[in-house]
Amino acid sequence: MEHRLDEVRTEVLRRNPGEPEFHQAVTEVFASLAPVVAEHPHYLEAGVIERICEPERQIIFRVPWTDDAGRVRINRGFRVQFNSALGPYKGGLRFHPAVSLGTVKFLGFEQIFKNALTGMPLGGAKGGSDFDPKGRSDAEVMRFCQSFMTEAHRYIGEHTDVPAGDIGVGRREIGYLFGQYTRIVDRHESGAITGKGLSWGGSLVRNEATGYGLVYFVRRMLERHGRDLDGARVLVSGSGNVAIAAAERVASLGAIVVGMSDSTGALATPDGIDITRVRELKEERRTTLTGYDVPGARFVSGATAWELARELRVDVALPCATQNELDADAARLLVTAGTTVVAEGANMPCTPEAVRLLREAGVLFAPGKAANAGGVATSALEMQQNASRDSWSFEHTDSRLAEIMDDIHDRCLETSIAYGAAGDYALGANIAGFTRVADAMLALGVI
Ligand code: NDP
């Protein structure tokens, strides 16, 4: 069976050349499937594994727009609708110059299993563009978003495909995208997009959900080991939506955030972070962390967060920036710095080699598809509120999020135990996510 599984994987990689991130995500999931197919060979026999690796639909389109100088610009738009066995396609949009079809496919593939783990009726998708919002005026971002949605609206909808934010797509971009969608379809379909502003159909906690959810997952993980976050020294990479919310929530539980980073360098804050100042720099002024001028802090231009680990002494590391940002060298630095927990806020931030090293060193490792599922879970809560024309309080939504993250944690742990690999959360997440989707696909015929 293992041999047949490997043949399937080789064939998937052959059919998708030049997409290393997609290959990495597929290989990582396949690495967990051997015990499942040994026990349930029908998944292989029915071809469900091949089918899961093939997107249902891949859309690539031209996005023309005009900059402030009147020059015509062209970007490429993507939406990969990967799997709808469990519900309408659901997954964010990323605007970043490095976005390619392979990036979107890796993110869409991860999203299938992540959405399945939430226990909610959500299929998996992802989209985006190689557009770089950095340095662009609001008017330019608006014109780009309007052009993107002029094409994308054909494929999205409350019962079809529901996008949200990701890197480079925050509330501003969601507003422009939703505004254009509403104009084109000529009806107020609030469930067609999530991450909306509070006064136009959004949910409390959605903005914070991925970072808060990550912290709830880690809290549950530590609880199971008789520990808590009080006094823990936490290093967070990135300083975007996920990183800021994670830093804020972990600090509110008594931890000390000893550092953060952005794409220009890393900030050491040995006495704890002033998150209000970070929000001001990154969310209001849209600038770098260089301007963080709180006494006792030090910004190291060009450094990664992990390079500061040894001097800062780190118990918990939360990579919340981007894929493959934490490599083998970084993993070694964290182990030397005394780190005992690494939980992924970003999608696939740890390289396979880093994960292997962390495991060998006995570090508890929480994979992104489980630990960062709070964002999409709260998107589903936003859709529930939209459908019932209701809006829930912060406390109620936050406590639903915490329950969902506890459930995801427990599902991963129990699955890892059932398959003889207690505490291997990556294996537990992959198997629990896979079996839910695969069973639905089998029930639906050859789809
Ligand atoms: P943002 O655009 O809000 O923030 C990204 C942050 O990462 C920024 O601070 C950015 O720096 C930094 N960054 C990007 N590339 C690098 C790099 N190579 N080295 C160091 N720092 C870098 O994105 P999000 O917070 O929304 O997303 C972060 C991650 O979380 C992504 O992997 C995303 O897929 C994942 N995720 C997001 C969810 C969400 O709800 N938003 C849900 C689930 C997962 P700078 O500020 O300089 O640009």
Side-chain angles (χ1 to χ4, degrees):
M1 274 301 161
E2 241 175 273
H3 174 64
R4 175 78 191 103
L5 192 62
D6 207 45
E7 280 177 357
V8 174
R9 188 186 65 89
T10 307
E11 181 60 7
V12 172
L13 304 197
R14 191 194 63 76
R15 296 184 68 225
N16 296 276
E19 296 176 349
E21 292 157 336
F22 180 54
H23 291 190
Q24 187 181 330
V26 167
T27 301
E28 196 261 328
V29 169
F30 271 63
S32 304
L33 293 186
V36 186
V37 295
E39 219 171 284
H40 309 285
H42 65 284
Y43 288 130
L44 260 181
E45 286 150 12
V48 77
I49 301 179
E50 286 98 318
R51 283 187 271 149
I52 274 189
C53 295
E54 185 69 21
E56 289 175 16
R57 193 173 294 109
Q58 306 184 57
I59 302 145
I60 306 180
F61 49 98
R62 177 169 68 199
V63 189
W65 56 283
T66 309
D67 69 17
D68 286 345
R71 197 173 140 203
V72 174
R73 304 277 184 157
I74 301 295
N75 285 99
R76 191 170 289 169
F78 303 93
R79 187 71 181 166
V80 174
Q81 298 179 328
F82 230 114
N83 196 298
S84 62
L86 296 179
Y89 304 111
K90 180 88 194 86
L93 296 173
R94 176 177 292 190
F95 293 167
H96 188 278
V99 165
S100 65
L101 180 62
T103 320
V104 178
K105 278 168 70 177
F106 120 65
L107 290 163
F109 186 70
E110 290 282 291
Q111 197 80 40
I112 305 172
F113 307 106
K114 179 187 311 193
N115 293 3
L117 281 172
T118 65
M120 287 157 149
L122 300 170
K126 201 80 186 189
S129 173
D130 57 358
F131 172 71
D132 187 358
K134 270 196 195 141
R136 291 286 167 204
S137 69
D138 280 357
E140 288 177 319
V141 171
M142 181 182 75
R143 286 195 293 275
F144 172 81
C145 289
Q146 290 181 337
S147 182
F148 184 95
M149 188 52 88
T150 300
E151 177 63 26
H153 85 276
R154 301 170 213 285
Y155 315 105
I156 74 168
E158 176 173 2
H159 302 293
T160 326
D161 183 353
V162 185
D166 190 79
I167 292 180
V169 179
R171 185 140 310 159
R172 173 182 61 169
E173 290 75 16
I174 292 291
Y176 297 148
L177 290 162
F178 184 58
Q180 183 73 350
Y181 181 80
T182 306
R183 282 170 81 194
I184 297 176
V185 301
D186 197 20
R187 61 174 182 274
H188 198 90
E189 191 187 320
S190 34
I193 196 159
T194 59
K196 300 183 291 295
L198 289 180
S199 59
W200 38 281
S203 169
L204 284 163
V205 192
R206 174 61 191 92
N207 206 32
E208 296 83 2
T210 308
Y212 279 24
L214 171 69
V215 173
Y216 298 149
F217 191 99
V218 171
R219 179 174 65 183
R220 183 75 158 190
M221 211 176 183
L222 287 173
E223 240 171 54
R224 290 296 182 108
H225 291 80
R227 294 165 52 194
D228 62 30
L229 281 161
D230 195 26
R233 298 177 68 79
V234 180
L235 182 58
V236 181
S237 68
S239 48
N241 173 284
V242 179
I244 289 177
E248 179 180 81
R249 196 71 184 103
V250 84
S252 76
L253 295 175
I256 304 156
V257 177
V258 293
M260 292 186 78
S261 65
D262 66 16
S263 59
T264 70
L267 181 69
T269 54
D271 305 324
I273 199 115
D274 177 347
I275 207 69
T276 311
R277 183 76 182 124
V278 175
R279 277 195 190 282
E280 191 190 323
L281 290 170
K282 301 304 291 188
E283 294 179 346
E284 287 165 36
R285 291 174 42 196
R286 294 180 188 275
T287 174
T288 71
L289 288 174
T290 330
Y292 187 93
D293 47 8
V294 176
R298 186 167 67 93
F299 184 76
V300 186
S301 190
T304 67
W306 323 122
E307 282 160 7
L308 305 181
R310 207 154 13 183
E311 70 174 85
L312 292 170
R313 289 178 295 112
V314 175
D315 301 309
V316 176
L318 303 177
C320 295
T322 194
Q323 63 270 18
N324 291 329
E325 53 156 314
L326 199 164
D327 60 11
D329 288 342
R332 283 188 200 97
L333 288 171
L334 286 172
V335 170
T336 316
T339 306
T340 53
V341 176
V342 174
E344 297 185 323
N347 284 309
M348 211 169 72
C350 299
T351 64
E353 178 75 348
V355 176
R356 193 181 58 74
L357 283 165
L358 293 170
R359 270 214 203 99
E360 280 172 10
V363 173
L364 285 173
F365 173 72
K369 62 171 74 73
N372 73 28
V376 72
T378 309
S379 278
L381 301 181
E382 181 175 332
M383 291 159 77
Q384 285 180 27
Q385 292 169 75
N386 293 152
S388 59
R389 303 254 184 273
D390 199 0
S391 55
W392 305 343
S393 69
F394 193 96
E395 292 67 30
H396 175 69
T397 318
D398 190 39
S399 72
R400 288 281 294 119
L401 169 64
E403 275 168 33
I404 292 167
M405 295 314 297
D406 285 354
D407 284 351
I408 294 174
H409 170 278
D410 294 356
R411 199 165 299 146
C412 294
L413 184 60
E414 281 154 19
T415 309
S416 73
I417 294 167
Y419 281 89
D424 184 340
Y425 285 85
L427 180 129
N430 286 333
I431 294 183
F434 168 80
T435 48
R436 183 154 186 253
V437 182
D439 289 343
M441 288 177 75
L442 287 172
L444 297 173
V446 179
I447 56 160

